[in-house]
Amino acid sequence: MEKTVIIIPARYASTRLCGKLLMEVDNKPIIQWVWEAAKKSKLADEVIIAADNELILEKAQSFGARVEMTSKDHKSGSDRICEVAKRHDEYSFILNMQGDEPQITPEVIDLAISTLVENDCDISTLVRQITQEEQIQDPNCVKCVFDNDFNALYFSRCPIPYERNKGEAKYYAHIGIYGYRRGSLIKMTSLEQSDLEKAESLEQLRALKNGMKIKVALTTLNPIGIDTQRDLNKFKDIVEKK
């Protein structure tokens, strides 16, 4: 039986909010919120935190997580999880789950896993429909267009499609959770960065440029990614209201 592992890349030195994964909300670090959601997945056989810093290693061990050290020199989360995946050939499917999205739910995690396992694709990911003009125009909100079979055609920080005819376009925001077949993860991380990836700073464009198939699934979840102090404060407010 083919097995699935969730690997959470945990980088300490975030550019905009250094050490954010260790910052606490309701007496729990952000990385623990994410790990607890991952542990509730019904389709994953194991959860591993891929750390690049002793502080994250020690904190993850303190709340009972399985954690492995990785190089500090990786350029992307996919490179980091690939280092761990190569140590464990018992896993056929690998889910890259962002360590800074504490609102991710087990149901959404399992949607990404099932989309990968049940379809002929290299990679799975998630999108949600957006209608607010502020989000559509925001370069930090990555947009996705896909075909009638939910195969991704392109991802961009620009509003895509360009709405020449008003009222005709639908916009979908990308949620940064990826499922990989083992061979697909190793292949993608071994490829050279493409011009598209360098231009948009989106590593999934490396896969598309090289003919790899990315299957998307729709969700209504709108998780807060913790990139700034403002994001952290927003998440704190949500937790306190609950």
Side-chain angles (χ1 to χ4, degrees), residues 137-207:
Q137 298 297 331
D138 184 358
N140 293 315
C141 177
V142 177
K143 275 68 68 175
C144 176
V145 290
F146 48 89
D147 68 17
N148 290 336
D149 294 319
F150 292 89
N151 298 306
L153 296 172
Y154 195 69
F155 296 85
S156 182
R157 297 184 183 278
C158 293
I160 51 173
Y162 172 75
E163 193 174 38
R164 180 173 181 179
N165 300 310
K166 292 298 180 183
E168 295 298 322
K170 290 182 180 179
Y171 294 94
Y172 294 89
H174 179 225
I175 297 176
I177 184 171
Y178 298 96
Y180 294 93
R181 296 183 186 278
R182 179 179 180 78
S184 300
L185 173 62
I186 294 171
K187 175 183 176 180
M188 197 197 86
T189 54
S190 69
L191 294 168
E192 292 292 326
Q193 284 187 308
S194 70
D195 54 343
L196 299 177
E197 178 184 359
K198 290 177 181 178
E200 299 246 24
S201 192
L202 298 172
E203 63 178 330
Q204 62 269 41
L205 296 178
R206 187 191 320 172

Side-chain angles (χ1 to χ4, degrees), residues 3 14 56 101 111 147 163 234:
K3 299 173 71 175
S14 173
I56 292 178
E101 292 195 349
L111 175 60
D147 68 17
E163 193 174 38
K234 191 184 299 184

Side-chain angles (χ1 to χ4, degrees), residues 65-242:
R66 180 176 174 181
V67 56
E68 297 186 14
M69 285 297 293
T70 61
S71 169
K72 290 182 171 65
D73 299 327
H74 291 306
K75 295 181 179 179
S76 71
S78 295
D79 292 326
R80 192 172 308 285
I81 69 164
C82 190
E83 178 184 339
V84 174
K86 284 179 176 178
R87 302 172 189 162
H88 301 281
D89 58 9
E90 67 269 29
Y91 298 113
S92 301
F93 305 107
I94 298 106
L95 192 78
N96 179 353
M97 186 173 158
Q98 303 302 312
D100 61 1
E101 292 195 349
Q103 288 186 301
I104 287 288
T105 66
E107 293 77 19
V108 164
I109 294 167
D110 285 343
L111 175 60
I113 294 172
S114 62
T115 299
L116 175 70
V117 173
E118 296 170 8
N119 289 281
D120 178 20
C121 62
D122 295 290
I123 303 168
S124 68
T125 194
L126 304 176
V127 297
R128 61 181 177 86
Q129 189 169 0
I130 54 174
T131 56
Q132 294 182 349
E133 190 65 21
E134 181 181 357
Q135 288 184 317
I136 293 169
Q137 298 297 331
D138 184 358
N140 293 315
C141 177
V142 177
K143 275 68 68 175
C144 176
V145 290
F146 48 89
D147 68 17
N148 290 336
D149 294 319
F150 292 89
N151 298 306
L153 296 172
Y154 195 69
F155 296 85
S156 182
R157 297 184 183 278
C158 293
I160 51 173
Y162 172 75
E163 193 174 38
R164 180 173 181 179
N165 300 310
K166 292 298 180 183
E168 295 298 322
K170 290 182 180 179
Y171 294 94
Y172 294 89
H174 179 225
I175 297 176
I177 184 171
Y178 298 96
Y180 294 93
R181 296 183 186 278
R182 179 179 180 78
S184 300
L185 173 62
I186 294 171
K187 175 183 176 180
M188 197 197 86
T189 54
S190 69
L191 294 168
E192 292 292 326
Q193 284 187 308
S194 70
D195 54 343
L196 299 177
E197 178 184 359
K198 290 177 181 178
E200 299 246 24
S201 192
L202 298 172
E203 63 178 330
Q204 62 269 41
L205 296 178
R206 187 191 320 172
L208 289 182
K209 180 82 173 186
N210 286 277
M212 300 177 74
K213 185 183 289 187
I214 302 177
K215 185 75 71 172
V216 303
L218 287 172
T219 179
T220 57
L221 184 71
N222 182 15
I224 295 173
I226 310 297
D227 293 316
T228 63
Q229 186 64 46
R230 181 182 177 186
D231 297 330
L232 185 67
N233 294 339
K234 191 184 299 184
F235 179 56
K236 284 181 178 178
D237 289 342
I238 291 170
V239 171
E240 287 171 2
K241 287 177 182 177
K242 285 184 178 179

